Amino acid sequence: MSRVWPALLLFVCWTTSGVTGWCSTKPNIVLIFADDLGWQDTGFGGSDFHETPNLDRLAKQGMIFRQAYSSAGNCQPSRACLISGQYTPRHGVYAVGSTKRGPVELMRMEPVPNTDGLKPDDFSIAKALKQAGYATGIFGKWHLSGPTGSSPEEQGFDVVQLSRHTAGRTRADDPKAAYSLTEAACNFITDNRDRPFFVYLPHYAVHSPIESRAETLAKFEQKTPGTKHNNPKFAACVEELDNAVGILMQKLIDLKLDENTLVAFTSDNGGTATSQEPLRGSKGCYYEGGIREPMFVRWPAVIKAGTTCDVPVINVDFYPTFLAAAGGTPKPDRPLDGESLLPLLQGKSSLEREAIFWHFPGYLDGAVARGRDPVFRTRPVSVIRKGDWKLHLYHEEWQLDGGRDKIETNRAVELYNIADDPREMRDLASSEPTKRDELVDDLCAWFEKTDAKLPTNRNSQYDPATKSAPKKRKNQK
């Protein structure tokens, strides 16, 4: 009866209020956001070396999304999309700092300038949930202030803790500040246990520099390496993250809040410290390895335990999902690009939308595994996934080499069937022209809908004769 009663109340509230009115059983919402955690870096994701018993248990108690994506290939734009509920063309956050990163003489076009931060007038999920009666708190990495950005307080967070203790390093007993941030989140939960709350916990783990406690590292140094993963330092850092998640969940259990708390977990972009094979690429690119994420949602009052979902979802979906669960209403003049996942969480097999999109009109230096380019993680590109089909449109060739008229020969587009070829190794752009043209048309229509800025000007400093080898960077943003 403990599972049926909250679910029944939620059903009554949703069906009588249209998911817009106050409901006495509004769920608490906890979003745990890892940093640089690859799609296979957890136990439930398939790692044979890392140990994540807390995440694995929570995943099994809810719904695992096996085709989950970030909205961007690296951290700042992904976070801007998550918090705003909008794709990159709407807020203009495309990269960390600049979209002109790498050898300028090898860039054929002038990139679209970056907006470094989420503007104060953006209407965040925290603002929306606050209007719906929620206490709101962030504990961890914000990364959206920037010169033109805004603070968490300006974006609707009541309680804010972003500290990393000291400049760039944490205490030996608190790697990546995982435990102190979790403690702060637990205190916030305790203080607000009698009202609905939203906890946003964007961890610094497992971004470099990799940190762990000495005893955790020693454990993995003595462990037999797996066939997929074998880095003891990284595995130890992953375990610290998992431990912190376990502490947070125990607090919810102790306070008897776990039954009607929606807990979501995912990462900001593709992994970088581990191989993403069999997927192509890694953080910073728009092949699957750069944007495919681990993800689950646990909500015992609503979600049947032990379920999986193969519908493609993306992190802009969290905003409308949380808002619908909270009985809130979108801001009329702020379009949301995601779709509520509530139908999937309740057992339905599909969403209304036909496609999801990505747009990166710039350059990121540092080549990726099996990438298209020997120098850049990505050049200007836009991407659409529609059903099993995924199309990449590269703007240099599209704008400068004849576009649609020369599409058969200019390499402006790549087309893959992700169901048959998740490694994105068999380009079907020439052999499937009808599907290719359909997706190009859909992508161009999306440019119009979102007023996407496209790179159009040639780079006067471009020198095709320049020889430039890719540079290895320890900390690619």
Side-chain angles (χ1 to χ4, degrees), residues 86-100:
Q86 297 183 321
Y87 284 129
T88 55
R90 304 233 195 238
H91 51 69
V93 182
Y94 301 115
V96 178
S98 172
T99 51
K100 199 171 188 175

Side-chain angles (χ1 to χ4, degrees), residues 72 98 110 126 165 179 189 216 227 334 444:
S98 172
E110 287 291 338
H165 296 301
Y179 297 107
I189 289 170
T216 311
T227 58
R334 303 293 298 181
C444 290

